[in-house]
Amino acid sequence: MIQPRTLKGFRDHLPAQALARERVLDIARRVYRSYGFAPIDTPALEYLEVLTGKGSDETDKQLYRFTDHGGREVGMRFDLTVPFARFAAQHVNELGLPFKRYHMATVWRGENTQRGRYREFMQCDFDTIGTTSGVADLEMVLVVHDLLAAIGIERFSIRVNDRRVLAGVLERLGLADRATGVLRSLDKLAKAGAEAVAAELAGQGVAAEAVAALLEMARLAGPPAEVLAGLATLVGDSATGRAGVAGLEEIVAGAAAVGVPANRLVIDPSIARGLDYYTGIVLESFLDDLPSLGSICSGGRYDNLAGLYTKQPLPGVGASLGIDRLLAGLEELGQGTTVETPAELFLAYFEADRLPDYLRIAAALRRAGLAVEFFPEPKKLGQQLKLAAKRGFRGALIIGGEEFATGTAQLKNLATHASTTIDWHGDVGVLVDAVCSCRAGLDAV
RNA sequence: GUGGCUGUAGCUCAGUUGGUUAGAGCAUCGGUUUGUGGUACCGAGGGUCGCGGGUUCGAGUCCCGUCAGUCACCCCA
């Protein structure tokens, strides 16, 4: 016997999880499309050079790579941004600019696993390329907000910052050349605490005054207006820094104009993001009830997405929803789904010799747009109902010998145990109409 | 990749200083009830104690390795 098992960091998805995942995918698709983002797809496998070109050592280490049967060095995509850069460079002339796309697909990273951190997981990206307009930046924030709200998350926050603000402050402190290390340390503030970050910065040779200034910046908190005022002071007359502050002001104003609740949008100067290709706005979002899970949706603006693959400058802005991490978080918070069936109505199989009638009824209901599961065996009714309730069906249709004889049917609400009698006089069309008109009632439960 | 913690039925866990055929609750299946599921009663199935090796007369219990999960570093969705 071969032991059935899955690889570290790779998971099976049972119906309850798969249905929850597809629900979120459907919502993401709807929200992205509502802003005009168009779907694209790219191969899971790319030439290794396409994936490693821009990669830091870290991403190179995490790449699943091998030599294919034709002797080509290939790698599995570890995000959707790099393949998109290649895609954009290859197809700009057919796409036209600006171009907005969404891409929901599986990616692979050979790193160590943790809660909400897997080796195979799905990302739901959306990006706008070919424009440097602040409108696109604002739209990214709005899409993220609409997305998380539509999924039904009650408490979440979108934390926004701008790399230019960070650059401006560093410039003033004379640390511009050490940006990467300093930002990496600041990024840990929430997790490690101020003291640890201060120590780490000092260890990098940052002067005490500069450390104090950096911490003052990173710890700015409160209403966006106050944080922005604080940042404006810290940035001084640095042109880059002022541009960053102005950009954030636009975001705050735009979000307010559209009606984004103020408590969901936070200006957080400690958000830096490790990826060094971000150049403007950066964004991370968290479940307020489970911040330790990490960011569930992150993104930002980059000056030149595809510089490695084309001479044409392609600025852009976009973000990525980590659907597997999000679902792990929702499940941990008890907000997961328990429904195990995609069908709405359960049709009990009762009278063995009435099979043709059952089939006819099921077919008619399906033609009317209802998802119907017909139980395949004429087992005891109690057993059938028990299974149907466990699976999460909203309603069960019961038609036995008595009902056939009197031209009636029982429509049972499996959540409330209440059942209503339908008179259909043997006319399937009447039955279908009656069931459909009760459907709203079932949905409401 | 490095280090810490964990690993007993589908799930949550018991299992005394290593000592006879490894237990409970929930879940599952069957019955009481060959037409009505959340209660009750009766019964059943299900465990190579993650896996492999070692120490021992004897290991779920100790040691080593390995796999998996988890936490930290790192990085990130």
Side-chain angles (χ1 to χ4, degrees):
Chain A
M1 293 282 274
I2 297 166
Q3 188 191 350
R5 54 180 186 159
T6 47
L7 284 163
K8 179 188 180 79
F10 289 72
R11 306 169 303 153
D12 286 327
H13 298 273
L14 273 61
Q17 302 161 289
L19 284 168
R21 188 193 226 201
E22 288 197 14
R23 182 185 78 91
V24 174
L25 288 173
D26 286 344
I27 291 168
R29 189 176 290 120
R30 201 183 70 229
V31 171
Y32 293 164
R33 287 181 179 218
S34 76
Y35 281 79
F37 292 87
I40 70 158
D41 200 9
T42 68
L45 233 49
E46 295 272 2
Y47 280 103
L48 192 60
E49 63 193 32
V50 167
L51 298 178
T52 55
K54 120 180 318 175
S56 53
D57 296 344
E58 199 59 41
T59 54
D60 281 9
K61 271 196 301 189
Q62 295 181 0
L63 256 181
Y64 278 103
R65 61 173 81 189
F66 57 92
T67 307
D68 76 2
H69 295 342
R72 285 171 283 258
E73 291 295 314
V74 301
M76 295 168 82
R77 62 180 173 220
F78 64 91
D79 71 6
L80 299 179
T81 304
V82 170
F84 179 47
R86 190 227 84 220
F87 173 98
Q90 200 169 327
H91 302 293
V92 243
N93 297 329
E94 304 151 65
L95 298 172
L97 297 175
F99 173 67
K100 299 163 78 166
R101 71 91 229 227
Y102 71 87
H103 189 188
M104 309 194 293
T106 306
V107 303
W108 297 269
R109 291 183 194 175
E111 65 179 331
N112 247 345
T113 57
Q114 242 174 73
R115 177 182 52 165
R117 202 168 172 175
Y118 312 102
R119 289 185 169 174
E120 177 181 68
F121 60 98
M122 199 173 240
Q123 292 192 315
C124 307
D125 275 37
F126 66 95
D127 287 84
T128 302
I129 58 167
T131 175
T132 55
S133 166
V135 174
D137 294 23
L138 173 62
E139 212 170 68
M140 170 180 71
V141 175
L142 298 180
V143 169
V144 170
H145 172 265
D146 287 4
L147 179 58
L148 298 179
I151 289 167
I153 304 167
E154 292 180 7
R155 290 163 41 74
F156 65 86
S157 27
I158 302 172
R159 312 186 84 85
V160 178
N161 191 20
D162 196 300
R163 275 287 176 87
R164 290 171 296 178
V165 173
L166 298 168
V169 172
L170 291 174
E171 198 179 291
R172 284 197 78 204
L173 297 172
L175 294 169
D177 53 330
R178 293 200 211 148
T180 308
V182 171
L183 293 184
R184 207 162 268 171
S185 300
L186 280 180
D187 206 35
K188 296 177 193 165
L189 187 68
K191 250 187 173 178
E195 288 180 22
V197 171
E200 196 172 311
L201 287 171
Q204 288 176 34
V206 177
E209 286 173 23
V211 170
L214 287 170
L215 282 178
E216 186 192 338
M217 174 194 74
R219 297 172 81 176
L220 282 173
E226 288 179 24
V227 177
L228 287 170
L231 287 177
T233 310
L234 283 166
V235 150
D237 54 4
S238 157
T240 310
R242 293 173 77 159
V245 174
L248 290 174
E249 281 167 349
E250 274 182 57
I251 297 294
V252 171
V258 176
V260 171
N263 60 335
R264 285 176 171 171
L265 182 64
V266 180
I267 302 297
D268 183 347
S270 73
I271 298 284
R273 306 219 19 89
L275 272 69
D276 36 318
Y277 55 71
Y278 288 119
T279 52
I281 182 174
V282 287
L283 161 159
E284 295 191 348
S285 34
F286 299 85
L287 298 177
D288 290 350
D289 297 315
L290 202 58
S292 64
L293 185 68
S295 175
I296 49 169
C297 188
S298 315
R301 171 167 283 284
Y302 36 83
D303 275 344
N304 192 358
L305 174 69
L308 283 164
Y309 316 101
T310 176
K311 287 179 182 167
Q312 178 168 353
L314 284 176
V317 59
S320 178
L321 171 73
I323 185 170
D324 288 295
R325 174 173 292 182
L326 169 64
L327 290 170
L330 290 179
E331 196 169 329
E332 184 166 339
L333 291 174
Q335 292 176 28
T337 347
T338 49
V339 176
E340 296 172 24
T341 174
E344 305 158 88
L345 189 68
F346 182 88
L347 178 59
Y349 187 3
F350 217 128
E351 295 289 320
D353 46 3
R354 287 287 197 157
L355 179 58
D357 290 318
Y358 288 119
L359 294 176
R360 206 152 38 83
I361 290 166
L365 287 165
R366 290 181 188 125
R367 272 197 298 276
L370 232 67
V372 179
E373 177 168 337
F374 175 53
F375 198 75
E377 297 172 39
K379 283 177 75 174
K380 285 169 58 176
L381 186 58
Q383 290 177 20
Q384 296 190 43
L385 291 176
K386 193 175 174 187
L387 183 73
K390 175 180 179 285
R391 290 273 164 82
F393 281 90
R394 285 178 285 211
L397 192 60
I398 301 169
I399 309 174
E402 275 176 34
E403 283 80 5
F404 276 119
T406 58
T408 58
Q410 286 183 50
L411 181 61
K412 183 156 190 164
N413 183 318
L414 288 167
T416 63
H417 290 216
S419 113
T420 55
T421 302
I422 295 170
D423 285 305
W424 55 291
H425 315 295
D427 184 336
V428 176
V430 174
L431 177 62
V432 169
D433 287 346
V435 171
C436 286
S437 67
C438 292
R439 196 177 166 190
L442 292 174
D443 283 342
V445 172

